[in-house]
Amino acid sequence: MEQEAVAALVAEQKEMVQLREGILHHFEQILHQDPLIDEVGFLHPTQFQSLEHIQTGNWTSEAPECPWTYLWCKDHKLAISMEILPKLYSAARHAYTNSAAAKDGPLMETDLMRHSKALLILCPDMLTAWNSRKMVLSVNYDFTKLKDELQLCALILSYSPKNESTWSHRRWVIKKVSEHNHDMSEIIERESLLVKEIAEKSKMNYRAWRHRCWLIPYMTREQVLNELKKSTRWNELHVTDNCCFHYRQRLLLASLDICQVKNTEDSLDRRSEVHLLWKEELTWNEMLIRRYQGREV
């Protein structure tokens, strides 16, 4: 009887391992086949029943133990059942640990990037996984892979907008791109839009606005002035959010650097423009103070 019980326990554990590995493989297939996923939701099993259980894409699951009651993807939106989260996390962490301990080689790098991506979506505070990705990306400069990395960070920030590890990794990627690309205008515009969208959903998000402040040295003169104009309306609608006011302070200080132009004919015009900018800022602040009495504008 004891031998039968042990055999049954071993068989059950083996089946559980196969289930975890099957679900992880299924999960990583989704991430690979749809790299444009921009939103992840962790749903209660009862919420999952309201989803339309249809197969999307051209891939299929090789594991019959992985029903669609656990994972769902459509229109670049991914839903994960909370019922399977512990097993999925355990499998992702085990797979990542094995790949990180493997010998160097192209196959190891591919496995490491695949497993670390799955793990970080489930647990974005895993600094070791972020560092592993930095190690792989630092070997050879690949702009396409770095853009994919920004996509991954944006995906995680969509449901964890205050995750410091993700913001820090995003800054590392941008710095890496700036070392090989002097024209950062397009990336700065996208980053500014991302922070604005996140700030709309996550109030008083200091980490997001600090990221936006970090971008200022990469901005051109036109972008600094444009950011001041764009943030004016946002401030008027969010006077209780001090983060944006701090951002404007950094922009105004950056505008002073614009004046420090030597041996140029338009230096006087720039000084006049910045002087007028600061004067308008004081007038605008006075208007807000009178309109919202009691607020620390």
Side-chain angles (χ1 to χ4, degrees), residues 8 47 89 147 200 214 233 259 275:
Q47 293 178 295
Y89 170 76
K147 284 181 64 178
E200 290 286 352
W214 179 85
R233 181 57 177 168
C259 300
H275 176 75

Side-chain angles (χ1 to χ4, degrees), residues 278-289:
W278 279 69
K279 186 176 180 180
E280 290 176 347
E281 187 75 9
L282 288 174
T283 304
W284 177 69
N285 270 265
E286 181 180 355
M287 180 271 294
L288 292 180
I289 291 173

Side-chain angles (χ1 to χ4, degrees), residues 2 4-5 14 18 20 29 32 36 39 41 57 61-62 73 117 122 137 145 151 162 210 223 228 243 248 254 287 289:
E2 292 182 359
E4 293 180 358
K14 184 178 180 180
Q18 291 177 345
R20 290 199 300 262
Q29 269 191 313
H32 175 72
L36 298 179
E39 189 174 347
S61 172
E62 297 178 359
C73 183
K117 181 177 182 179
L122 301 172
L137 293 169
K145 290 183 178 179
Q151 176 71 21
K162 295 184 178 182
R210 186 164 68 90
Q223 284 181 317
L228 272 170
C243 296
R248 290 184 66 84
M287 180 271 294
I289 291 173

